[in-house]
Amino acid sequence: MNRTLIIMVKEPRPGRVKTRLGRDIGVIPATWWFRHQSDRLIRRLRDPRWQIVLAVAPDRAVNSRVWPADMPRLPQGSGDLGQRMKGMLTMPGQLAGQRPSRPPTGRALYALPARVRRSSGKRVGPVCLIGADIPGITRAHIARAFAALGDHDAVFGPADDGGYWLVGAKHPSRLPHGLFGSVRWSTENALADTLRTLPGWRIALTDTLQDVDTAADLPRC
């Protein structure tokens, strides 16, 4: 079955990324850290076992030259974090077999992987989604997450602050309507709140990793 790894990324512009880190080390150093961290992560996670798709914010940045030219991209769209995450998890299945829309410039907003768009109407999955600010993610971590979906409906990679760095679904089209509803993001309750939106689902927890929010997090990564 086709596997898709979606990486949520922001265009690295000063004041738009890692704002809490920027308050500690300066806006420009924080922006450069995020840009190089994102680049290293994307290169490190390339693997024939899955297709990587970038979920880009803001939407206009799908055409930015900062991203690898061969990497499929999708705009994150509007809504809060939970709404955007749910949209990204279900997007490959919704777009299977469809041609990408085009902005006024005539350039494609996104280019779906050939394995995803192979034929319309076929089930797509599983899908895992991660952020770009966790330096410790390796291909082995991603492989274990996809393996966990073999006998589970969903998988989460906990962060040590109570959040999570990865969420994945075996059958993305079956995700419940209330997924990510009333989640207290950026708190120690984020993972527990999310799990409550999946009652009755078989949930797997994989490796716990450390994300980077402040300067205090940098030495540990």
Side-chain angles (χ1 to χ4, degrees), residues 19 25 37 62 82 85 90 97 99 122 128 131 133-134 138 146 172 175 193 221:
T19 54
I25 67 174
Q37 156 61 21
V62 291
M85 288 172 60
T90 58
R99 299 178 63 185
K122 287 190 177 181
C128 283
D133 58 352
I134 298 86
T138 67
F146 277 120
L175 289 170
D193 287 349
C221 299

Side-chain angles (χ1 to χ4, degrees), residues 68-199:
D70 67 324
M71 191 68 68
R73 309 161 205 170
L74 293 167
Q76 289 187 22
S78 59
D80 63 22
L81 177 60
Q83 291 170 324
R84 286 180 283 123
M85 288 172 60
K86 185 180 179 184
M88 289 298 99
L89 284 168
T90 58
M91 189 67 75
Q94 294 174 4
L95 294 177
Q98 299 182 20
R99 299 178 63 185
S101 58
R102 296 178 181 274
T105 61
R107 296 166 62 187
L109 273 175
Y110 52 79
L112 283 176
R115 288 184 295 175
V116 172
R117 64 172 185 266
R118 188 169 292 158
S119 62
S120 180
K122 287 190 177 181
R123 180 165 51 87
V124 177
V127 175
C128 283
L129 181 148
I130 63 173
D133 58 352
I134 298 86
I137 303 176
T138 67
R139 290 190 297 273
H141 291 122
I142 302 302
R144 283 194 287 272
F146 277 120
L149 290 174
D151 54 3
H152 293 83
D153 301 312
V155 60
F156 288 86
D160 58 8
D161 61 1
Y164 48 96
W165 60 271
L166 175 144
V167 56
K170 185 174 184 177
H171 302 298
S173 63
R174 302 178 189 175
L175 289 170
H177 177 74
L179 179 66
F180 302 129
S182 301
V183 173
R184 290 168 284 182
W185 300 109
S186 301
T187 74
E188 68 275 8
N189 307 111
L191 177 56
D193 287 349
T194 303
L195 294 178
R196 280 193 287 271
T197 69
L198 293 166

Side-chain angles (χ1 to χ4, degrees), residues 20-21 24-25 212-219:
R20 290 172 60 191
L21 181 63
D24 292 343
I25 67 174
V212 172
D213 290 320
T214 67
D217 300 322
L218 291 173

Side-chain angles (χ1 to χ4, degrees), residues 24-39:
D24 292 343
I25 67 174
V27 172
I28 299 301
T31 303
W32 274 103
W33 179 89
F34 182 77
R35 177 166 184 167
H36 289 290
Q37 156 61 21
S38 301
D39 180 63

